[in-house]
Amino acid sequence: MNSRHRSPVQVGDVAHLFDGRRLRLARQLAGLRKNALADKVDKTPTAIASYEKNTKRPAPTTVAQLSLALGVDPSFFLPGPVELDFSDVVAHFRSLRSTTQLARDQALAYGLATVEVSATLERHVEFPSAEVPNFEVRSDEDSPEEAANLLRSTWELPTGPIPHLVRAAENRGVLVVFSAPASASVDAYSFEGMSRPVVVLNPAKRDYYRQRFDLAHELGHLVMHTDAEPGSAKIESQADRFAAEFLMPREQISYLLPAKADWGQLQRLKEVWGVSLQALLYRSRALGEMSEVTYRNAMMFLSSKGWRRQEPGVMPVLEQPSLLPGSVALLESSGVDPWELAEESRVPLDLFRQICSRSPRYMPEDDSNAAQENLPSGVVSIFSNRN
């Protein structure tokens, strides 16, 4: 029987089985603080907190109000495929000072919803085992570079450029998804999920080269910083060094890097290695192939040409994830409706489709600018972006 014709879950049953952690998930996905949600359902913030901590269960009428206020089906509040533990998840956001707590909470909730969707799909499709080694960073001297080479070795990557970094990560069990349009204020981020590592990419700048470096940066966090306090300049620098070595290993690229700003040669290297001109210049200086003066002059030239914002040449299409979307397509070909999978995951269908999309969904340019300029928090309800 098609799930669209199943008997709906009774609100009274949801009240008895209510999981407060899923209320917190829905609230953060919607970009609401406790007091804002309390106002919507005519309750106190203390009551909302008690529901989320499972110290008090809401009445059936309150469940219905919460469902309506948050734009989710009452069944969303039933225990899901993954036991959520917010206290055990440490996400690495690029800059904690420039990103509000509300925006980070919303972004992390999106990542946790991704874990739930993945856990549901893994009931029906076999996923690759997660293969991300843990490398303790003892000191800044060579440690990030050693970690990058360890990951290349563990993943048995070939010598030279990595042709499709997203696919390489997915083949080793890393969940890679695009963020929701509402999270445009949050850069790429990562965390160790309850079942497997997760990287959420922000495609707002639509930059193939930036996306690859972002993914390599986040892989650095997953390898080196599982227990580190996120957001510090030190660990962000370590992740950048990891990304540079991972994408452009010293032994494989140093002899190719020009000592002077040979733009033709740099452009050719950019196309082959899948990194930006700026990354190549920085790498050339870091490896001692280019002097500090030459590097600074080259960067000044980049700025004068407007290339720091948009480099010359054709921009390749963003690398696309295939693990989740491919699984959905496989199941759909076997007669399983995505609606059924979304229901099993306990997430709204539009959110399920966003998480399992091969291509990013862009907020219209004007709306994106308005969201960033008029809302200091940068938060818009993820559920508002319905197709």
Side-chain angles (χ1 to χ4, degrees), residues 130-363:
E131 297 180 46
V132 179
N134 185 17
F135 184 94
E136 183 181 354
V137 180
R138 300 176 299 278
S139 67
D140 278 345
E141 290 187 12
D142 296 330
S143 286
E145 288 75 17
E146 289 177 44
N149 288 315
L150 171 63
L151 187 61
R152 268 190 167 252
S153 174
T154 301
W155 285 4
E156 299 180 340
L157 296 178
T159 300
I162 303 172
H164 199 301
L165 185 54
V166 169
R167 185 171 297 120
E170 289 186 317
N171 286 344
R172 277 75 179 186
V174 179
L175 292 179
V176 182
V177 297
F178 288 118
S179 65
S183 301
S185 67
V186 179
D187 213 331
Y189 59 99
S190 59
F191 63 96
E192 185 64 45
M194 279 72 76
S195 56
R196 57 182 62 247
V198 180
V199 176
V200 182
L201 299 174
N202 186 337
K205 294 182 176 61
R206 313 184 192 196
D207 190 319
Y208 167 87
Y209 303 101
R210 169 73 179 275
Q211 176 188 288
R212 282 171 55 87
F213 197 90
D214 281 351
L215 176 51
H217 177 104
E218 297 307 325
L219 290 173
H221 284 314
L222 292 172
V223 172
M224 300 184 295
H225 302 135
T226 53
D227 297 322
E229 189 68 26
S232 73
K234 180 178 180 179
I235 70 168
E236 290 303 313
S237 174
Q238 289 173 351
D240 279 341
R241 286 174 55 188
F242 175 100
E245 178 68 19
F246 189 65
L247 294 171
M248 302 168 282
R250 173 195 290 266
E251 293 184 0
Q252 300 173 29
I253 202 172
S254 60
Y255 72 96
L256 299 172
L257 294 169
K260 297 182 179 180
D262 183 337
W263 297 108
Q265 173 67 357
L266 288 166
Q267 184 67 24
R268 285 188 289 273
L269 290 173
K270 170 182 174 177
E271 296 287 339
V272 171
W273 289 83
V275 293
S276 67
L277 292 174
Q278 295 177 71
L280 286 165
L281 288 170
Y282 187 88
R283 190 67 172 147
S284 185
R285 182 190 65 166
L287 296 181
E289 301 296 332
M290 183 176 288
S291 71
E292 181 69 29
V293 172
T294 302
Y295 169 78
R296 289 181 181 177
N297 289 338
M299 292 301 290
M300 289 174 61
F301 181 79
L302 276 173
S303 297
S304 69
K305 301 291 288 184
W307 292 354
R308 296 194 72 164
R309 296 189 62 184
Q310 184 173 353
E311 294 188 357
V314 176
M315 179 64 70
V317 175
L318 294 179
E319 292 184 356
Q320 298 180 348
S322 58
L323 184 57
L324 297 185
S327 299
V328 173
L330 178 63
L331 292 170
E332 195 169 7
S333 69
S334 301
V336 181
D337 194 311
W339 190 88
E340 296 178 86
L341 296 170
E343 184 182 59
E344 188 178 337
S345 303
R346 307 287 196 279
V347 300
L349 180 59
D350 59 334
L351 179 58
F352 179 87
R353 285 176 170 162
Q354 165 67 50
I355 289 171
C356 296
S357 175
R358 290 185 188 275
S359 303
R361 295 183 184 181
Y362 296 112
M363 185 180 291

Side-chain angles (χ1 to χ4, degrees), residues 363-377:
M363 185 180 291
E365 206 68 42
D366 292 342
D367 293 346
S368 178
N369 291 337
Q372 295 181 49
E373 293 174 8
N374 299 329
L375 296 178
S377 66

Side-chain angles (χ1 to χ4, degrees), residues 52-72:
E52 292 187 359
K53 293 177 181 177
N54 285 320
T55 57
K56 182 179 179 181
R57 296 191 184 280
T61 54
T62 304
V63 171
Q65 290 175 313
L66 291 168
S67 173
L68 184 63
L70 293 170
V72 298

